[in-house]
């Protein structure tokens, strides 16, 4: 907790553990998530498997590896916002691999970058989003500032960070 400048309560909440840890134990570090004592939620905002976490982190790596950390969390949050929305599929995998009018919703699926190994920062960002962090406040689209799609640019702005634009 001291190394990552988080409270012991936050570390406990992120790991569903008692006050004891053991050598070799792997811990989740809840960077940026605020837990308030015992009233905090210890559950992810959507159900996920380790495979889902890996896929989400790989998408974050492919889409935002060179962007600020907040953009990484925001990319993961958009996927999770879609999972929670009735407009989109109801699982992380199905959202990421969704096709609309014959096109994948996320470019890394079509260009193969989804298969790149996820970075440590991307894994951390995906976990942070899974446990409730959403800098976009419920956005369901994102793109980079070089996009020429007029429809995307017409959407209400939720957040701009680095070269990434997040919209509703």
């Amino acid at each position: 907790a001291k190394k990552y400048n988080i409270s012991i309560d936050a570390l406990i909440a992120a790991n569903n553990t008692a006050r004891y840890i053991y050598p070799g134990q792997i811990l989740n570090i809840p960077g940026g998530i605020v837990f308030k004592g015992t009233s905090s939620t210890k559950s992810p905002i959507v159900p996920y498997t380790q495979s889902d976490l890996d896929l989400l982190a790989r998408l974050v790596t492919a889409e935002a590896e060179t962007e600020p950390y907040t953009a990484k969390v925001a990319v993961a949050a958009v996927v999770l916002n879609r999972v929670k929305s009735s407009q989109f599929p109801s699982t992380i995998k199905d959202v990421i691999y969704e096709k609309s009018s014959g096109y994948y919703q996320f470019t890394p699926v079509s260009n193969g970058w989804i298969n790149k190994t996820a970075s440590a920062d991307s894994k951390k960002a995906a976990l942070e989003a899974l446990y409730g962090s959403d800098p976009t406040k419920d956005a369901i689209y994102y793109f980079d500032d070089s996009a020429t799609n007029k429809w995307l640019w017409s959407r209400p702005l939720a957040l701009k960070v680095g070269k990434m634009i997040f919209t509703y």
Side-chain angles (χ1 to χ4, degrees):
K2 188 180 284 187
K3 177 179 178 180
Y4 290 98
N5 197 27
I6 59 174
S7 72
I8 290 178
D9 287 338
L11 189 61
I12 290 168
N15 289 280
N16 251 346
T17 187
R19 288 199 175 266
Y20 301 101
I21 59 172
Y22 304 95
Q25 184 175 354
I26 296 172
L27 299 174
N28 294 320
I29 306 300
I33 301 175
V34 178
F35 294 94
K36 297 180 180 175
T38 57
S39 64
S40 68
T41 178
K42 296 178 187 176
S43 301
I45 59 170
V46 301
Y48 74 96
T49 64
Q50 285 304 307
S51 176
D52 292 330
L53 172 59
D54 178 61
L55 180 61
L56 183 60
R58 286 187 284 126
L59 181 71
V60 171
T61 296
E63 293 279 31
E65 183 58 24
T66 61
E67 297 300 319
Y69 183 75
T70 300
K72 291 174 175 58
V73 176
V75 165
V78 165
V79 171
L80 301 175
N81 292 338
R82 287 184 177 203
V83 171
K84 295 186 303 182
S85 169
S86 62
Q87 297 175 303
F88 298 95
S90 60
T91 68
I92 292 169
K93 181 180 178 181
D94 289 344
V95 163
I96 291 174
Y97 286 108
E98 181 182 18
K99 276 188 175 181
S100 180
S101 301
Y103 296 96
Y104 286 109
Q105 291 291 292
F106 299 100
T107 304
V109 175
S110 58
N111 69 17
W113 288 14
I114 193 72
N115 299 315
K116 290 172 56 175
T117 302
S119 70
D121 250 12
S122 294
K123 289 176 187 176
K124 181 180 171 189
L127 269 172
E128 191 169 320
L130 279 161
Y131 283 86
S133 182
D134 182 1
T136 75
K137 296 180 176 53
D138 298 324
I140 56 174
Y141 301 101
Y142 66 81
F143 52 97
D144 71 33
D145 61 7
S146 68
T148 57
N149 183 307
K150 290 179 183 179
W151 182 84
L152 283 173
W153 281 103
S154 75
R155 310 293 303 171
L157 180 67
L159 175 71
K160 181 180 186 315
V161 59
K163 294 181 179 186
M164 302 291 292
I165 311 294
F166 299 85
T167 63
Y168 299 105

